[in-house]
Amino acid sequence: YQRRVHGDSQYKRMPHSYGVRARTRSLFAKPFRRHGQDPISRMLVNYHIGDYADIIVDGSKHLGMPHKFYYGKTGRIFDISKRAVGIVINKRVRNKVLPKRLHVRIEHLQKSKCRQEFLNRIHSNDKAKVNAKKEGKKITTKRKPVEPIGGHLVELTKTKVEFINPKPYQYLYQVQTQQHFTYQTPVSYTH
């Protein structure tokens, strides 16, 4: 702590804390019931150039740890070395987007699922095209937005009109008028 004397009063001032790992107490902490040694399957993941990967920092592994800014960011792999992976991540600096090239150890990476829905759609479209070709039909595999509900007429002769109005106020309890409560006046003692 740094102490400063101002007049008769003393007050403490915290020193600045703008380090590399500042404000990462909960960010780099392991999740609940996930402490201890990591499973070996995390180290045996095969990464290929062009794959997408998420940066999830493991706080217990200090080597090859990226900066806290890149936690949770998704990038594309451009280089693979013995223990680390080169990954390109877009970083917005003022009004520009800069491609940042990082080398991160495998412990701090996991394969991204950002393209999984797209790949599933490709496989389902291919199957649909093959089936349509066998049946001799033409299909469109483009996605369509949800259309509005079609218009229709309501005939009052066939339907019943129902009014939805608020119910009138009802007493939650009834006052019992038959029972009378009598109060005795306190006796005052005079000296």
Side-chain angles (χ1 to χ4, degrees), residues 3 10 20 28 36-37 41 54 60 63 70-71 80-81 87 98-99 114 118 121 132 137 150-151 168 181 191:
R3 252 182 210 182
Q10 290 184 353
V20 177
F28 287 174
Q37 192 66 28
S41 60
D54 300 329
S60 63
L63 294 176
Y70 301 103
Y71 187 97
I80 297 172
S81 62
I87 187 167
L98 305 175
C114 61
F118 172 67
R121 193 159 49 85
K137 296 179 181 177
F181 297 99
H191 299 287

Side-chain angles (χ1 to χ4, degrees), residues 10-191:
Q10 290 184 353
Y11 65 92
K12 295 179 181 179
R13 187 170 67 100
M14 291 293 290
H16 71 83
S17 58
Y18 302 110
V20 177
R21 295 186 60 168
R23 289 168 289 280
T24 58
R25 178 175 181 169
S26 59
L27 189 69
F28 287 174
K30 288 201 171 186
F32 181 59
R33 289 182 178 172
R34 294 289 185 272
H35 296 271
Q37 192 66 28
D38 287 336
I40 195 70
S41 60
R42 191 170 183 183
M43 301 294 292
L44 298 176
V45 177
N46 292 325
Y47 293 98
H48 303 283
I49 293 175
D51 287 352
Y52 287 90
D54 300 329
I55 294 181
I56 305 296
V57 176
D58 185 0
S60 63
K61 306 288 190 296
H62 298 168
L63 294 176
M65 181 186 287
H67 192 264
K68 62 189 174 185
F69 172 83
Y70 301 103
Y71 187 97
K73 300 287 190 288
T74 303
R76 200 161 193 181
I77 294 172
F78 73 92
D79 182 32
I80 297 172
S81 62
K82 190 175 181 181
R83 295 182 185 86
V85 166
I87 187 167
V88 180
I89 292 176
N90 291 331
K91 181 178 181 181
R92 182 171 160 264
V93 180
R94 295 185 183 90
N95 58 349
K96 294 181 289 186
V97 178
L98 305 175
K100 307 287 278 188
R101 292 175 176 264
L102 312 173
H103 276 85
V104 182
R105 281 213 175 195
I106 303 169
E107 297 93 281
H108 308 294
L109 286 178
Q110 69 181 24
K111 278 202 168 183
S112 180
K113 298 177 183 176
C114 61
R115 296 184 79 235
Q116 194 60 44
E117 186 180 348
F118 172 67
L119 296 174
N120 293 341
R121 193 159 49 85
I122 289 175
H123 295 314
S124 63
N125 287 349
D126 290 343
K127 287 181 182 178
K129 287 176 185 177
V130 170
N131 294 335
K133 192 171 184 180
K134 287 179 183 177
E135 296 173 1
K137 296 179 181 177
K138 286 186 177 181
I139 60 167
T140 58
T141 56
K142 290 183 178 180
R143 291 174 293 176
K144 292 182 180 178
V146 179
E147 296 179 356
I149 300 171
H152 59 278
L153 294 173
V154 178
E155 295 184 9
L156 293 176
T157 57
K158 296 180 180 178
T159 59
K160 183 182 176 183
V161 178
E162 182 179 348
F163 294 96
I164 303 174
N165 295 326
K167 292 182 178 180
Y169 178 76
Q170 295 177 351
Y171 290 108
L172 297 177
Y173 61 92
Q174 294 179 354
V175 179
Q176 295 179 357
T177 56
Q178 295 176 357
Q179 295 179 356
H180 298 284
F181 297 99
T182 56
Y183 296 98
Q184 294 179 355
T185 56
V187 179
S188 60
Y189 298 98
T190 56
H191 299 287

